[in-house]
Amino acid sequence: MLVRNIFFAVVLAVAPVSSAFASGGDTPTPPSQSWQFEEGLFGMYGTYDKAALQRGYKIYREVCSSCHSMKRIYFRNLEALGYNENQIKAIAAEYTVEDGPNEEGDMFDRTAIPSDAFISPFANDNAAKFANGGALPPDLSLITKARANGSNYVYALLTGYEEAPHGADLAQGQHWNKYFAGHKLSMAPPLMDGQVTYEDGTPETLEQYSRDIVQFLTWAADPHMEARKKAGFRVLVFLILFAGIMYAVKKRTWADLH
Amino acid sequence: MGSGPREEFDNPVVEWIDSRMPIFTMLQKEYGVFPTPKNFNWFWNFGAIAMFMLMTMIVTGIFLAMHYTANTELAFDSVERITRDVNGGWLLRNIHMNGASFFFIAVYIHIFRGMYYGSYKRPRELLWILGVVIFLLMMATAFIGYVLPWGQMSLWGATVITNLFSAIPFVGEDIRTLLWGGFAVDNPTLTRFFALHYLLPFVIFAVVFLHVWALHVTGSNNPLGIDVKGPQDTLPFNPYYTMKDIFGLILFIIVYAFFVFYAPDSLGHPDNYTPANPLVTPPHIVPEWYFLPFYAILRAITFNFNIYMLAGVALLAVFMVEFIWRHSPKYLGKSAGIALLVIGGALALFGLLAGFNQHWTIPFTDMPIPLTSAETSPISAKLGGVLAMFGSIGLLVILPWLDNHPIRSARFRPLFRIFVIVFTFSVFVLGYAGSQPADRVYWSTCIGDAQACEVLAHGAGHGAAAHHEADAGAEPLVLKFDNTMLAQAFTGVYFLFFLIILPLLSRFEKGRELPTSIHEAVLAKKQKAGA
């Protein structure tokens, strides 16, 4: 009892101090948005909204892909967004890839097919840095897993551009972002109202764009989420039933002791 | 396991095998009728659970190895390919990477149980030491395994940990080169780590076999910590404990499955989803959660161990061995003991304070105190940190001799019980300290001139305060409590528990009266519950 009281006393004494310092840091925590892929207790019923994924992909294609690669995603993966085989072939065919060597030993260009990965905007990291004032635009295939609280963070970043505070020392090509560590972000605000045309009547606002691209990127980082959660549900139901049976077996086994 | 008289089996195939190699007889003896104390509580489930986790890790690991490529250019991509394209690969990887965490959870609870109920005591010392060996092998295996995906934390964690070995005098640099296979953490490091990550689990398996063998010689301890006196104290392992273990195991797997399916990345670090880059250091390198207490101990040693400190500790150690650990001193008289205690304590305290305050001088002069600098201290802060970290686990090896109190279970040692809980709490605090940046300030205050404090807090350029700098009076006093101090305080608790508290308790704690037998204690409990 004494130990427990000491424990709580220490926790209570430390808690307000530590929270004061946590908020004392000048990069705010990204606010939590409500996402369809996180629905239910612990995100248990979360699913991807295919229409949002398609809109997000459109934004990636028209805006992000001019600087950011997504080299772990293949055109064939787009099936998960609700496209059929012919649509995927048509999308891939808009791109050319270098292939080879052919029988004569030469490299050649051909149109992309569904088994190709997304085409990177730059040949290599150095080319990407050179074109972007020395900053490397990260590959986006895993971005929501590679950042703490990834989906909320990317949303906060895209909507977090602000006027730089007075006295902030921004170098050329840097932009003030509330949620970026150190605030000086080399990426110019990538999205603005009305920039990408939606055919389904969804509002063409920065917030909506950001929501859609985040859902697309979350899918890209975690394409098996729906299968995982579905399997998890079955596994847990099975285990809980099994546990119930084993509880009865254990009780019964031990019942005959004196 | 021998070939003594054997009972025949009814099944002809079983009998045919058993008469040539009595494996069924052995199973029957060791897992069928094996006499097991009848008063186990749920803590006794975790050995079986840890065994299950080891098997899970080996099986999933073998399948992952079929798809993994140990090459710095390809490793990250091959892991991504496993989760994206290999059939069921996402499930395999989630089971394996969360399995490491749950293996450690099971083993930590298992170790706690061993400490709380005194399972390390005579005659189970060797059983306990084999357990510590398993724990060390697990730590090596888990650390190496975390390097394999070749993300940012893989590379930088490996860099930090392998660099520790260079602190060992004379051979440290060579050991580090051997671990690296070159002059930095690079492709040769990754390939040898993969080879070792495949090898070590089988070594663990072998030591687990020895651990279980030793257990089956001495028999299990139990919550009362008293010896089994006869058949009325025990139950056959099967079906009583097979069924109980399976039920407990399923409950454990439910929690484990929750993480595998609904929070697979919550126990890892996001930086490990960025491919390793030797040119970019992450701002805050942290190991996996199960290493955090030891990482905190490593980082807590920020001061050199000077000669005063070591001499003082040596004298105190002689005192502890002669007057506390040995129940009657063998070589020294009472006055020698007092001298050891006073001189040793004073030297150690002075050395420690001088180690912390490098700016101290000899009174009335401005000469620094001799033999306290980094160059003249026998053990540097870096080596000290490494020694403390390995020492914190090494103490577990000698635990059966640090605590030689005749009563095993904390149930009958009220003082030991309090201290073992405080110790456990300190391990949790150390874990927290290990997760935080070393310079994080929890509390600070500035005593003195308000303006001067303002300057200290916001830098000299801050507004009007700068003008007052010239005429500010005495230097303000800043008191603060930062993460390093937190880690130091609880590292102190950790070591004091083993080196001072346990020998003292062994000598002076009376303890409560033990029940006469397990059987009677169980009956008394039943009657109490029935009444």
Side-chain angles (χ1 to χ4, degrees), chain A residues 97-164:
Chain A
V97 285
E98 190 183 54
D99 203 347
N102 63 13
E103 285 172 5
E104 289 156 24
D106 299 321
M107 302 302 282
F108 60 93
D109 285 345
R110 60 164 174 79
T111 53
I113 53 174
S115 60
D116 283 314
F118 279 16
I119 316 296
S120 299
F122 300 103
N124 51 54
D125 283 359
N126 284 1
K129 277 190 211 165
F130 186 71
N132 286 285
L136 177 69
D139 184 272
L140 296 182
S141 320
L142 277 166
I143 201 74
T144 58
K145 277 193 186 180
R147 299 290 179 273
N149 193 4
S151 304
N152 290 323
Y153 172 75
V154 175
Y155 180 86
L157 196 78
L158 289 172
T159 55
Y161 285 95
E162 281 178 349
E163 196 71 29

Side-chain angles (χ1 to χ4, degrees), chain A residues 212-224:
Chain A
D212 292 342
I213 188 70
V214 165
Q215 293 181 72
F216 172 70
L217 292 175
T218 305
W219 164 79
D222 194 5
H224 294 297

Side-chain angles (χ1 to χ4, degrees), chain B residues 83-107:
Chain B
T83 61
R84 287 169 189 275
D85 290 335
V86 171
N87 289 333
W90 59 268
L91 182 57
L92 270 182
R93 182 171 187 232
N94 285 353
I95 290 175
H96 196 75
M97 68 182 190
N98 287 288
S101 287
F102 278 82
F103 194 3
F104 271 98
I105 290 173
V107 163

Side-chain angles (χ1 to χ4, degrees), chain B residues 43 45-61 94-112 130-143 145 197 199-209 211-212 249 252-253 255-257 259-260 267 288-291:
Chain B
F43 274 120
N45 274 47
F46 286 90
I49 290 172
M51 188 68 199
F52 169 82
M53 289 313 302
L54 176 64
M55 297 315 298
T56 304
M57 295 305 279
I58 289 179
V59 171
T60 53
N94 285 353
I95 290 175
H96 196 75
M97 68 182 190
N98 287 288
S101 287
F102 278 82
F103 194 3
F104 271 98
I105 290 173
V107 163
Y108 278 133
I109 297 174
H110 192 59
I111 293 174
F112 171 77
L130 287 166
V132 180
V133 171
I134 294 169
F135 179 48
L136 277 169
L137 285 168
M138 271 178 71
M139 293 177 99
T141 311
F143 159 68
H197 190 67
L199 168 70
L200 287 178
F202 296 97
V203 179
I204 293 177
F205 192 84
V207 185
V208 167
F209 177 80
H211 187 70
V212 174
L249 176 64
F252 185 83
I253 298 176
V255 183
Y256 174 28
F259 275 84
V260 167
L267 297 169
E288 291 274 81
W289 69 265
Y290 36 79
F291 293 135

Side-chain angles (χ1 to χ4, degrees), chain B residues 293-475:
Chain B
F294 304 102
Y295 189 56
I297 291 174
L298 170 77
R299 290 194 306 176
I301 309 302
T302 53
F303 49 89
N304 304 304
F305 292 3
N306 58 43
I307 200 116
Y308 307 106
M309 218 188 286
L310 296 176
V313 169
L315 295 180
L316 289 177
V318 173
F319 175 83
M320 287 303 292
V321 171
E322 273 295 298
F323 290 88
I324 306 298
W325 191 71
R326 263 191 237 288
H327 283 217
S328 60
K330 214 170 183 177
Y331 304 109
L332 298 169
K334 205 171 186 180
S335 53
I338 294 171
L340 277 174
L341 191 61
V342 172
I343 300 173
L347 267 178
L349 188 67
F350 169 72
L352 191 66
L353 291 173
F356 269 101
N357 300 286
Q358 291 281 321
H359 60 272
W360 273 12
T361 54
I362 297 175
F364 311 116
T365 69
D366 47 8
M367 287 194 328
I369 295 170
L371 302 177
T372 58
S373 69
E375 295 77 42
T376 50
S377 296
I379 296 176
S380 69
K382 186 180 174 188
L383 178 58
V386 174
L387 289 176
M389 182 176 73
F390 286 112
S392 66
I393 301 162
L395 286 176
L396 291 174
V397 176
I398 56 166
L399 174 60
W401 293 276
L402 291 170
D403 172 16
N404 54 9
H405 196 281
I407 298 178
R408 292 198 190 98
S409 172
R411 278 196 195 167
F412 303 103
R413 294 181 62 189
L415 284 174
F416 173 75
R417 183 171 172 273
I418 290 172
F419 282 109
V420 84
I421 290 170
V422 168
F423 167 77
T424 309
F425 174 73
S426 80
V427 172
F428 278 99
V429 177
L430 283 170
Y432 177 76
S435 74
Q436 297 300 308
D439 54 3
R440 182 174 160 194
V441 177
Y442 294 104
W443 174 84
S444 74
T445 188
C446 183
I447 302 163
D449 181 47
Q451 297 284 7
C453 283
E454 184 78 358
V455 172
L456 272 181
H458 296 285
H462 199 265
H467 299 294
H468 289 270
E469 217 176 358
D471 52 67
E475 189 87 339

Side-chain angles (χ1 to χ4, degrees), chain B residues 70-93:
Chain B
N71 178 299
T72 52
E73 299 286 316
L74 303 169
F76 191 92
D77 288 341
S78 73
V79 172
E80 271 307 303
R81 197 183 143 70
I82 288 170
T83 61
R84 287 169 189 275
D85 290 335
V86 171
N87 289 333
W90 59 268
L91 182 57
L92 270 182
R93 182 171 187 232

